PDB file of all heavy atoms in Angstrom:
ATOM      1  N   ARG A  18      -2.551  16.681   1.550  1.00  0.00           N
ATOM      2  CA  ARG A  18      -2.075  17.492   0.515  1.00  0.00           C
ATOM      3  C   ARG A  18      -2.288  16.861  -0.922  1.00  0.00           C
ATOM      4  O   ARG A  18      -2.096  17.544  -1.930  1.00  0.00           O
ATOM      5  CB  ARG A  18      -0.575  17.749   0.783  1.00  0.00           C
ATOM      6  CG  ARG A  18      -0.300  18.690   1.819  1.00  0.00           C
ATOM      7  CD  ARG A  18       1.061  19.176   1.876  1.00  0.00           C
ATOM      8  NE  ARG A  18       1.548  19.811   0.735  1.00  0.00           N
ATOM      9  CZ  ARG A  18       2.734  20.155   0.264  1.00  0.00           C
ATOM     10  NH1 ARG A  18       3.811  19.557   0.925  1.00  0.00           N
ATOM     11  NH2 ARG A  18       3.052  20.809  -0.757  1.00  0.00           N
ATOM     12  N   LEU A  19      -2.678  15.531  -1.009  1.00  0.00           N
ATOM     13  CA  LEU A  19      -2.939  14.855  -2.278  1.00  0.00           C
ATOM     14  C   LEU A  19      -4.176  14.086  -2.037  1.00  0.00           C
ATOM     15  O   LEU A  19      -4.226  13.417  -1.099  1.00  0.00           O
ATOM     16  CB  LEU A  19      -1.723  14.158  -2.713  1.00  0.00           C
ATOM     17  CG  LEU A  19      -1.897  13.568  -4.170  1.00  0.00           C
ATOM     18  CD1 LEU A  19      -0.478  13.535  -4.808  1.00  0.00           C
ATOM     19  CD2 LEU A  19      -2.451  12.209  -4.146  1.00  0.00           C
ATOM     20  N   ILE A 164      -7.876  25.833  -7.984  1.00  0.00           N
ATOM     21  CA  ILE A 164      -7.737  26.419  -9.303  1.00  0.00           C
ATOM     22  C   ILE A 164      -6.992  25.438 -10.215  1.00  0.00           C
ATOM     23  O   ILE A 164      -6.377  24.561  -9.809  1.00  0.00           O
ATOM     24  CB  ILE A 164      -7.072  27.820  -9.115  1.00  0.00           C
ATOM     25  CG1 ILE A 164      -5.608  27.609  -8.660  1.00  0.00           C
ATOM     26  CG2 ILE A 164      -7.827  28.766  -8.342  1.00  0.00           C
ATOM     27  CD1 ILE A 164      -4.774  28.921  -8.591  1.00  0.00           C
ATOM     28  N   GLN A 165      -7.316  25.670 -11.406  1.00  0.00           N
ATOM     29  CA  GLN A 165      -6.674  25.046 -12.535  1.00  0.00           C
ATOM     30  C   GLN A 165      -5.165  25.345 -12.559  1.00  0.00           C
ATOM     31  O   GLN A 165      -4.838  26.458 -12.614  1.00  0.00           O
ATOM     32  CB  GLN A 165      -7.231  25.387 -13.831  1.00  0.00           C
ATOM     33  CG  GLN A 165      -6.680  24.518 -15.071  1.00  0.00           C
ATOM     34  CD  GLN A 165      -7.276  24.995 -16.341  1.00  0.00           C
ATOM     35  OE1 GLN A 165      -8.128  25.884 -16.372  1.00  0.00           O
ATOM     36  NE2 GLN A 165      -6.809  24.397 -17.410  1.00  0.00           N
ATOM     37  N   LEU A 166      -4.333  24.311 -12.334  1.00  0.00           N
ATOM     38  CA  LEU A 166      -2.890  24.698 -12.177  1.00  0.00           C
ATOM     39  C   LEU A 166      -2.016  23.447 -12.610  1.00  0.00           C
ATOM     40  O   LEU A 166      -2.289  22.358 -12.092  1.00  0.00           O
ATOM     41  CB  LEU A 166      -2.661  24.995 -10.656  1.00  0.00           C
ATOM     42  CG  LEU A 166      -1.417  25.835 -10.329  1.00  0.00           C
ATOM     43  CD1 LEU A 166      -1.698  26.604  -8.945  1.00  0.00           C
ATOM     44  CD2 LEU A 166      -0.164  25.148 -10.282  1.00  0.00           C
ATOM     45  N   SER A 167      -1.164  23.782 -13.398  1.00  0.00           N
ATOM     46  CA  SER A 167      -0.132  22.746 -13.859  1.00  0.00           C
ATOM     47  C   SER A 167       1.098  23.415 -14.380  1.00  0.00           C
ATOM     48  O   SER A 167       1.191  24.575 -14.473  1.00  0.00           O
ATOM     49  CB  SER A 167      -0.737  21.920 -14.899  1.00  0.00           C
ATOM     50  OG  SER A 167      -0.663  22.550 -16.212  1.00  0.00           O
ATOM     51  N   PRO A 168       2.189  22.787 -14.782  1.00  0.00           N
ATOM     52  CA  PRO A 168       3.274  23.392 -15.330  1.00  0.00           C
ATOM     53  C   PRO A 168       3.055  24.209 -16.551  1.00  0.00           C
ATOM     54  O   PRO A 168       3.710  25.264 -16.835  1.00  0.00           O
ATOM     55  CB  PRO A 168       4.305  22.219 -15.760  1.00  0.00           C
ATOM     56  CG  PRO A 168       3.914  21.194 -14.701  1.00  0.00           C
ATOM     57  CD  PRO A 168       2.391  21.323 -14.672  1.00  0.00           C
ATOM     58  N   THR A 170       0.106  25.969 -16.752  1.00  0.00           N
ATOM     59  CA  THR A 170      -0.706  27.051 -16.118  1.00  0.00           C
ATOM     60  C   THR A 170      -0.325  27.315 -14.719  1.00  0.00           C
ATOM     61  O   THR A 170      -0.921  26.753 -13.848  1.00  0.00           O
ATOM     62  CB  THR A 170      -2.187  26.705 -16.201  1.00  0.00           C
ATOM     63  OG1 THR A 170      -2.477  25.455 -15.659  1.00  0.00           O
ATOM     64  CG2 THR A 170      -2.737  26.793 -17.660  1.00  0.00           C
ATOM     65  N   THR A 171       0.780  28.013 -14.421  1.00  0.00           N
ATOM     66  CA  THR A 171       1.323  28.038 -13.025  1.00  0.00           C
ATOM     67  C   THR A 171       0.636  28.942 -12.180  1.00  0.00           C
ATOM     68  O   THR A 171       0.911  28.984 -11.030  1.00  0.00           O
ATOM     69  CB  THR A 171       2.810  28.270 -13.142  1.00  0.00           C
ATOM     70  OG1 THR A 171       3.009  29.692 -13.757  1.00  0.00           O
ATOM     71  CG2 THR A 171       3.649  27.277 -13.978  1.00  0.00           C
ATOM     72  N   ARG A 176      -1.336  32.158  -6.768  1.00  0.00           N
ATOM     73  CA  ARG A 176      -0.660  31.396  -5.809  1.00  0.00           C
ATOM     74  C   ARG A 176       0.062  32.408  -4.793  1.00  0.00           C
ATOM     75  O   ARG A 176      -0.002  32.226  -3.611  1.00  0.00           O
ATOM     76  CB  ARG A 176       0.649  30.535  -6.389  1.00  0.00           C
ATOM     77  CG  ARG A 176      -0.006  29.411  -7.151  1.00  0.00           C
ATOM     78  CD  ARG A 176       1.161  28.401  -7.440  1.00  0.00           C
ATOM     79  NE  ARG A 176       2.118  28.824  -8.466  1.00  0.00           N
ATOM     80  CZ  ARG A 176       3.251  29.278  -8.299  1.00  0.00           C
ATOM     81  NH1 ARG A 176       3.784  29.046  -7.003  1.00  0.00           N
ATOM     82  NH2 ARG A 176       4.048  29.581  -9.280  1.00  0.00           N
ATOM     83  N   THR A 186      -3.652  26.746  -1.671  1.00  0.00           N
ATOM     84  CA  THR A 186      -3.944  26.609  -3.085  1.00  0.00           C
ATOM     85  C   THR A 186      -4.098  25.191  -3.354  1.00  0.00           C
ATOM     86  O   THR A 186      -3.041  24.476  -3.120  1.00  0.00           O
ATOM     87  CB  THR A 186      -3.036  27.333  -3.952  1.00  0.00           C
ATOM     88  OG1 THR A 186      -2.910  28.660  -3.724  1.00  0.00           O
ATOM     89  CG2 THR A 186      -3.367  27.155  -5.442  1.00  0.00           C
ATOM     90  N   GLN A 187      -5.083  24.612  -3.962  1.00  0.00           N
ATOM     91  CA  GLN A 187      -5.250  23.163  -4.278  1.00  0.00           C
ATOM     92  C   GLN A 187      -5.365  23.259  -5.839  1.00  0.00           C
ATOM     93  O   GLN A 187      -6.317  23.837  -6.508  1.00  0.00           O
ATOM     94  CB  GLN A 187      -6.421  22.595  -3.675  1.00  0.00           C
ATOM     95  CG  GLN A 187      -6.586  21.013  -3.870  1.00  0.00           C
ATOM     96  CD  GLN A 187      -7.864  20.544  -3.179  1.00  0.00           C
ATOM     97  OE1 GLN A 187      -8.926  21.021  -3.437  1.00  0.00           O
ATOM     98  NE2 GLN A 187      -7.587  19.368  -2.577  1.00  0.00           N
ATOM     99  N   SER A 188      -4.597  22.351  -6.562  1.00  0.00           N
ATOM    100  CA  SER A 188      -4.555  22.321  -7.901  1.00  0.00           C
ATOM    101  C   SER A 188      -5.646  21.304  -8.467  1.00  0.00           C
ATOM    102  O   SER A 188      -5.564  20.163  -7.993  1.00  0.00           O
ATOM    103  CB  SER A 188      -3.227  21.795  -8.499  1.00  0.00           C
ATOM    104  OG  SER A 188      -2.216  22.639  -7.902  1.00  0.00           O
ATOM    105  N   TRP A 189      -6.384  21.665  -9.473  1.00  0.00           N
ATOM    106  CA  TRP A 189      -7.145  20.827 -10.191  1.00  0.00           C
ATOM    107  C   TRP A 189      -6.663  20.650 -11.495  1.00  0.00           C
ATOM    108  O   TRP A 189      -5.967  21.624 -12.054  1.00  0.00           O
ATOM    109  CB  TRP A 189      -8.734  21.167 -10.192  1.00  0.00           C
ATOM    110  CG  TRP A 189      -9.275  22.362 -10.907  1.00  0.00           C
ATOM    111  CD1 TRP A 189      -9.579  23.560 -10.320  1.00  0.00           C
ATOM    112  CD2 TRP A 189      -9.421  22.430 -12.311  1.00  0.00           C
ATOM    113  NE1 TRP A 189     -10.138  24.411 -11.255  1.00  0.00           N
ATOM    114  CE2 TRP A 189     -10.093  23.782 -12.491  1.00  0.00           C
ATOM    115  CE3 TRP A 189      -9.444  21.717 -13.414  1.00  0.00           C
ATOM    116  CZ2 TRP A 189     -10.499  24.303 -13.692  1.00  0.00           C
ATOM    117  CZ3 TRP A 189      -9.827  22.215 -14.643  1.00  0.00           C
ATOM    118  CH2 TRP A 189     -10.363  23.493 -14.751  1.00  0.00           C
ATOM    119  N   SER A 190      -6.869  19.642 -12.188  1.00  0.00           N
ATOM    120  CA  SER A 190      -6.237  19.280 -13.534  1.00  0.00           C
ATOM    121  C   SER A 190      -4.674  19.481 -13.301  1.00  0.00           C
ATOM    122  O   SER A 190      -4.095  20.025 -14.236  1.00  0.00           O
ATOM    123  CB  SER A 190      -6.683  20.147 -14.751  1.00  0.00           C
ATOM    124  OG  SER A 190      -6.317  19.588 -15.941  1.00  0.00           O
ATOM    125  N   PRO A 191      -4.158  18.746 -12.311  1.00  0.00           N
ATOM    126  CA  PRO A 191      -2.718  19.115 -12.081  1.00  0.00           C
ATOM    127  C   PRO A 191      -1.723  18.546 -13.046  1.00  0.00           C
ATOM    128  O   PRO A 191      -0.556  19.076 -13.086  1.00  0.00           O
ATOM    129  CB  PRO A 191      -2.429  18.484 -10.591  1.00  0.00           C
ATOM    130  CG  PRO A 191      -3.523  17.327 -10.654  1.00  0.00           C
ATOM    131  CD  PRO A 191      -4.651  17.905 -11.336  1.00  0.00           C
ATOM    132  N   ILE A 192      -2.083  17.555 -13.738  1.00  0.00           N
ATOM    133  CA  ILE A 192      -1.200  17.020 -14.769  1.00  0.00           C
ATOM    134  C   ILE A 192      -1.593  17.528 -16.149  1.00  0.00           C
ATOM    135  O   ILE A 192      -1.162  16.925 -17.175  1.00  0.00           O
ATOM    136  CB  ILE A 192      -1.032  15.560 -14.661  1.00  0.00           C
ATOM    137  CG1 ILE A 192      -0.871  15.014 -13.284  1.00  0.00           C
ATOM    138  CG2 ILE A 192       0.032  14.880 -15.522  1.00  0.00           C
ATOM    139  CD1 ILE A 192      -0.830  13.508 -12.943  1.00  0.00           C
ATOM    140  N   GLY A 193      -2.461  18.443 -16.290  1.00  0.00           N
ATOM    141  CA  GLY A 193      -2.814  19.049 -17.493  1.00  0.00           C
ATOM    142  C   GLY A 193      -4.012  18.459 -18.209  1.00  0.00           C
ATOM    143  O   GLY A 193      -4.283  18.768 -19.430  1.00  0.00           O
ATOM    144  N   VAL A 199       1.055  17.588 -21.055  1.00  0.00           N
ATOM    145  CA  VAL A 199       2.060  17.866 -20.097  1.00  0.00           C
ATOM    146  C   VAL A 199       2.965  16.659 -19.892  1.00  0.00           C
ATOM    147  O   VAL A 199       4.235  16.816 -19.889  1.00  0.00           O
ATOM    148  CB  VAL A 199       1.433  18.347 -18.808  1.00  0.00           C
ATOM    149  CG1 VAL A 199       2.476  18.398 -17.639  1.00  0.00           C
ATOM    150  CG2 VAL A 199       0.717  19.681 -19.004  1.00  0.00           C
ATOM    151  N   GLY A 217       3.947  11.551 -14.680  1.00  0.00           N
ATOM    152  CA  GLY A 217       2.868  12.008 -13.684  1.00  0.00           C
ATOM    153  C   GLY A 217       3.447  12.293 -12.336  1.00  0.00           C
ATOM    154  O   GLY A 217       3.150  13.198 -11.629  1.00  0.00           O
ATOM    155  N   GLN A 218       4.273  11.352 -11.813  1.00  0.00           N
ATOM    156  CA  GLN A 218       4.847  11.551 -10.524  1.00  0.00           C
ATOM    157  C   GLN A 218       5.759  12.750 -10.599  1.00  0.00           C
ATOM    158  O   GLN A 218       5.868  13.597  -9.558  1.00  0.00           O
ATOM    159  CB  GLN A 218       5.676  10.289 -10.173  1.00  0.00           C
ATOM    160  CG  GLN A 218       4.849   9.168  -9.790  1.00  0.00           C
ATOM    161  CD  GLN A 218       5.600   7.839  -9.571  1.00  0.00           C
ATOM    162  OE1 GLN A 218       6.568   7.545 -10.319  1.00  0.00           O
ATOM    163  NE2 GLN A 218       5.357   7.132  -8.560  1.00  0.00           N
ATOM    164  N   ILE A 219       6.479  13.007 -11.619  1.00  0.00           N
ATOM    165  CA  ILE A 219       7.199  14.228 -11.684  1.00  0.00           C
ATOM    166  C   ILE A 219       6.477  15.545 -11.567  1.00  0.00           C
ATOM    167  O   ILE A 219       6.823  16.475 -10.841  1.00  0.00           O
ATOM    168  CB  ILE A 219       8.155  14.302 -12.937  1.00  0.00           C
ATOM    169  CG1 ILE A 219       9.173  13.178 -12.979  1.00  0.00           C
ATOM    170  CG2 ILE A 219       8.692  15.661 -13.132  1.00  0.00           C
ATOM    171  CD1 ILE A 219      10.227  13.232 -11.847  1.00  0.00           C
ATOM    172  N   VAL A 220       5.344  15.619 -12.219  1.00  0.00           N
ATOM    173  CA  VAL A 220       4.554  16.798 -12.268  1.00  0.00           C
ATOM    174  C   VAL A 220       3.827  16.916 -10.825  1.00  0.00           C
ATOM    175  O   VAL A 220       3.789  17.995 -10.326  1.00  0.00           O
ATOM    176  CB  VAL A 220       3.548  16.661 -13.402  1.00  0.00           C
ATOM    177  CG1 VAL A 220       2.626  17.872 -13.382  1.00  0.00           C
ATOM    178  CG2 VAL A 220       4.155  16.715 -14.765  1.00  0.00           C
ATOM    179  N   LEU A 221       3.367  15.874 -10.352  1.00  0.00           N
ATOM    180  CA  LEU A 221       2.702  15.933  -9.038  1.00  0.00           C
ATOM    181  C   LEU A 221       3.796  16.366  -7.898  1.00  0.00           C
ATOM    182  O   LEU A 221       3.466  17.173  -7.043  1.00  0.00           O
ATOM    183  CB  LEU A 221       2.088  14.579  -8.557  1.00  0.00           C
ATOM    184  CG  LEU A 221       0.903  14.143  -9.427  1.00  0.00           C
ATOM    185  CD1 LEU A 221       0.434  12.736  -9.018  1.00  0.00           C
ATOM    186  CD2 LEU A 221      -0.273  15.223  -9.173  1.00  0.00           C
ATOM    187  N   ARG A 222       4.922  15.943  -8.075  1.00  0.00           N
ATOM    188  CA  ARG A 222       6.006  16.363  -7.137  1.00  0.00           C
ATOM    189  C   ARG A 222       6.231  17.757  -7.292  1.00  0.00           C
ATOM    190  O   ARG A 222       6.541  18.516  -6.274  1.00  0.00           O
ATOM    191  CB  ARG A 222       7.285  15.466  -7.273  1.00  0.00           C
ATOM    192  CG  ARG A 222       8.293  15.689  -6.235  1.00  0.00           C
ATOM    193  CD  ARG A 222       7.909  15.235  -4.848  1.00  0.00           C
ATOM    194  NE  ARG A 222       8.493  16.150  -3.820  1.00  0.00           N
ATOM    195  CZ  ARG A 222       8.055  16.089  -2.521  1.00  0.00           C
ATOM    196  NH1 ARG A 222       7.397  14.889  -1.983  1.00  0.00           N
ATOM    197  NH2 ARG A 222       8.519  16.905  -1.635  1.00  0.00           N
ATOM    198  N   TRP A 223       6.256  18.341  -8.403  1.00  0.00           N
ATOM    199  CA  TRP A 223       6.422  19.772  -8.724  1.00  0.00           C
ATOM    200  C   TRP A 223       5.424  20.552  -7.861  1.00  0.00           C
ATOM    201  O   TRP A 223       5.705  21.568  -7.301  1.00  0.00           O
ATOM    202  CB  TRP A 223       6.302  20.007 -10.225  1.00  0.00           C
ATOM    203  CG  TRP A 223       6.250  21.508 -10.600  1.00  0.00           C
ATOM    204  CD1 TRP A 223       7.371  22.381 -10.743  1.00  0.00           C
ATOM    205  CD2 TRP A 223       5.101  22.226 -10.969  1.00  0.00           C
ATOM    206  NE1 TRP A 223       6.849  23.558 -11.173  1.00  0.00           N
ATOM    207  CE2 TRP A 223       5.476  23.541 -11.367  1.00  0.00           C
ATOM    208  CE3 TRP A 223       3.664  21.881 -10.949  1.00  0.00           C
ATOM    209  CZ2 TRP A 223       4.666  24.511 -11.604  1.00  0.00           C
ATOM    210  CZ3 TRP A 223       2.844  22.956 -11.380  1.00  0.00           C
ATOM    211  CH2 TRP A 223       3.249  24.127 -11.610  1.00  0.00           C
ATOM    212  N   HIS A 224       4.058  20.083  -7.931  1.00  0.00           N
ATOM    213  CA  HIS A 224       3.037  20.824  -7.124  1.00  0.00           C
ATOM    214  C   HIS A 224       3.374  20.813  -5.648  1.00  0.00           C
ATOM    215  O   HIS A 224       3.280  21.915  -4.878  1.00  0.00           O
ATOM    216  CB  HIS A 224       1.721  20.056  -7.291  1.00  0.00           C
ATOM    217  CG  HIS A 224       1.121  20.308  -8.704  1.00  0.00           C
ATOM    218  ND1 HIS A 224       0.241  21.324  -8.952  1.00  0.00           N
ATOM    219  CD2 HIS A 224       1.254  19.583  -9.794  1.00  0.00           C
ATOM    220  CE1 HIS A 224      -0.133  21.166 -10.223  1.00  0.00           C
ATOM    221  NE2 HIS A 224       0.430  20.193 -10.772  1.00  0.00           N
ATOM    222  N   LEU A 225       3.873  19.671  -5.208  1.00  0.00           N
ATOM    223  CA  LEU A 225       4.260  19.623  -3.708  1.00  0.00           C
ATOM    224  C   LEU A 225       5.406  20.511  -3.413  1.00  0.00           C
ATOM    225  O   LEU A 225       5.446  21.129  -2.328  1.00  0.00           O
ATOM    226  CB  LEU A 225       4.446  18.172  -3.306  1.00  0.00           C
ATOM    227  CG  LEU A 225       3.231  17.139  -3.610  1.00  0.00           C
ATOM    228  CD1 LEU A 225       3.686  15.781  -3.393  1.00  0.00           C
ATOM    229  CD2 LEU A 225       2.129  17.567  -2.644  1.00  0.00           C
ATOM    230  N   GLU A 226       6.430  20.646  -4.333  1.00  0.00           N
ATOM    231  CA  GLU A 226       7.553  21.364  -4.102  1.00  0.00           C
ATOM    232  C   GLU A 226       7.221  22.858  -3.978  1.00  0.00           C
ATOM    233  O   GLU A 226       7.841  23.644  -3.205  1.00  0.00           O
ATOM    234  CB  GLU A 226       8.629  21.173  -5.108  1.00  0.00           C
ATOM    235  CG  GLU A 226       9.107  19.809  -5.271  1.00  0.00           C
ATOM    236  CD  GLU A 226      10.185  19.358  -4.153  1.00  0.00           C
ATOM    237  OE1 GLU A 226      10.472  20.107  -3.250  1.00  0.00           O
ATOM    238  OE2 GLU A 226      10.641  18.196  -4.300  1.00  0.00           O
ATOM    239  N   LEU A 227       6.053  23.168  -4.574  1.00  0.00           N
ATOM    240  CA  LEU A 227       5.661  24.596  -4.550  1.00  0.00           C
ATOM    241  C   LEU A 227       4.744  24.925  -3.522  1.00  0.00           C
ATOM    242  O   LEU A 227       4.233  26.060  -3.245  1.00  0.00           O
ATOM    243  CB  LEU A 227       4.867  24.927  -5.985  1.00  0.00           C
ATOM    244  CG  LEU A 227       5.800  24.974  -7.235  1.00  0.00           C
ATOM    245  CD1 LEU A 227       4.861  25.269  -8.443  1.00  0.00           C
ATOM    246  CD2 LEU A 227       6.798  25.925  -7.127  1.00  0.00           C
ATOM    247  N   GLY A 228       4.536  24.011  -2.641  1.00  0.00           N
ATOM    248  CA  GLY A 228       3.683  24.102  -1.419  1.00  0.00           C
ATOM    249  C   GLY A 228       2.198  23.960  -1.620  1.00  0.00           C
ATOM    250  O   GLY A 228       1.397  24.380  -0.834  1.00  0.00           O
ATOM    251  N   LEU A 229       1.810  23.386  -2.746  1.00  0.00           N
ATOM    252  CA  LEU A 229       0.428  23.234  -3.278  1.00  0.00           C
ATOM    253  C   LEU A 229      -0.148  21.941  -2.745  1.00  0.00           C
ATOM    254  O   LEU A 229       0.515  20.998  -2.341  1.00  0.00           O
ATOM    255  CB  LEU A 229       0.310  23.227  -4.697  1.00  0.00           C
ATOM    256  CG  LEU A 229       0.968  24.466  -5.391  1.00  0.00           C
ATOM    257  CD1 LEU A 229       0.918  24.278  -6.920  1.00  0.00           C
ATOM    258  CD2 LEU A 229       0.241  25.754  -4.970  1.00  0.00           C
ATOM    259  N   ALA A 230      -1.461  21.853  -2.650  1.00  0.00           N
ATOM    260  CA  ALA A 230      -2.261  20.667  -2.411  1.00  0.00           C
ATOM    261  C   ALA A 230      -2.708  20.173  -3.753  1.00  0.00           C
ATOM    262  O   ALA A 230      -2.819  21.000  -4.789  1.00  0.00           O
ATOM    263  CB  ALA A 230      -3.374  20.778  -1.473  1.00  0.00           C
ATOM    264  N   VAL A 231      -3.086  18.913  -3.979  1.00  0.00           N
ATOM    265  CA  VAL A 231      -3.479  18.476  -5.356  1.00  0.00           C
ATOM    266  C   VAL A 231      -4.693  17.557  -5.222  1.00  0.00           C
ATOM    267  O   VAL A 231      -4.818  16.658  -4.312  1.00  0.00           O
ATOM    268  CB  VAL A 231      -2.243  17.658  -5.905  1.00  0.00           C
ATOM    269  CG1 VAL A 231      -2.535  17.386  -7.258  1.00  0.00           C
ATOM    270  CG2 VAL A 231      -0.986  18.482  -5.849  1.00  0.00           C
ATOM    271  N   ALA A 232      -5.519  17.729  -6.214  1.00  0.00           N
ATOM    272  CA  ALA A 232      -6.682  16.680  -6.407  1.00  0.00           C
ATOM    273  C   ALA A 232      -6.429  16.082  -7.766  1.00  0.00           C
ATOM    274  O   ALA A 232      -6.574  16.902  -8.825  1.00  0.00           O
ATOM    275  CB  ALA A 232      -8.050  17.268  -6.360  1.00  0.00           C
ATOM    276  N   LEU A 252      12.383  16.988  -5.849  1.00  0.00           N
ATOM    277  CA  LEU A 252      13.100  17.553  -7.170  1.00  0.00           C
ATOM    278  C   LEU A 252      14.174  18.560  -6.686  1.00  0.00           C
ATOM    279  O   LEU A 252      13.993  19.358  -5.667  1.00  0.00           O
ATOM    280  CB  LEU A 252      11.928  18.252  -7.989  1.00  0.00           C
ATOM    281  CG  LEU A 252      10.814  17.337  -8.429  1.00  0.00           C
ATOM    282  CD1 LEU A 252       9.934  18.169  -9.276  1.00  0.00           C
ATOM    283  CD2 LEU A 252      11.392  16.119  -9.384  1.00  0.00           C
ATOM    284  N   VAL A 257      12.612  22.145 -10.508  1.00  0.00           N
ATOM    285  CA  VAL A 257      11.326  22.851 -10.218  1.00  0.00           C
ATOM    286  C   VAL A 257      11.253  24.052 -11.222  1.00  0.00           C
ATOM    287  O   VAL A 257      10.083  24.288 -11.723  1.00  0.00           O
ATOM    288  CB  VAL A 257      11.239  23.193  -8.796  1.00  0.00           C
ATOM    289  CG1 VAL A 257       9.995  23.994  -8.441  1.00  0.00           C
ATOM    290  CG2 VAL A 257      11.297  21.974  -7.814  1.00  0.00           C
ATOM    291  N   LEU A 260      10.307  23.162 -14.828  1.00  0.00           N
ATOM    292  CA  LEU A 260       9.047  22.857 -14.986  1.00  0.00           C
ATOM    293  C   LEU A 260       8.133  24.123 -14.853  1.00  0.00           C
ATOM    294  O   LEU A 260       7.170  24.391 -15.762  1.00  0.00           O
ATOM    295  CB  LEU A 260       8.512  21.839 -13.890  1.00  0.00           C
ATOM    296  CG  LEU A 260       9.077  20.424 -14.055  1.00  0.00           C
ATOM    297  CD1 LEU A 260       8.857  19.766 -12.788  1.00  0.00           C
ATOM    298  CD2 LEU A 260       8.435  19.744 -15.315  1.00  0.00           C
TER     299      LEU A 260
END
Side-chain angles (χ1 to χ4, degrees):
R18 290 191 61 199
L19 188 147
I164 59 176
Q165 182 182 0
L166 204 158
S167 79
T170 52
T171 61
R176 288 193 290 113
T186 302
Q187 186 181 47
S188 309
W189 66 260
S190 196
I192 311 179
V199 172
Q218 286 174 317
I219 293 298
V220 176
L221 291 173
R222 187 67 219 179
W223 171 82
H224 288 269
L225 298 172
E226 300 285 4
L227 293 179
L229 306 171
V231 188
L252 299 177
V257 174
L260 290 166

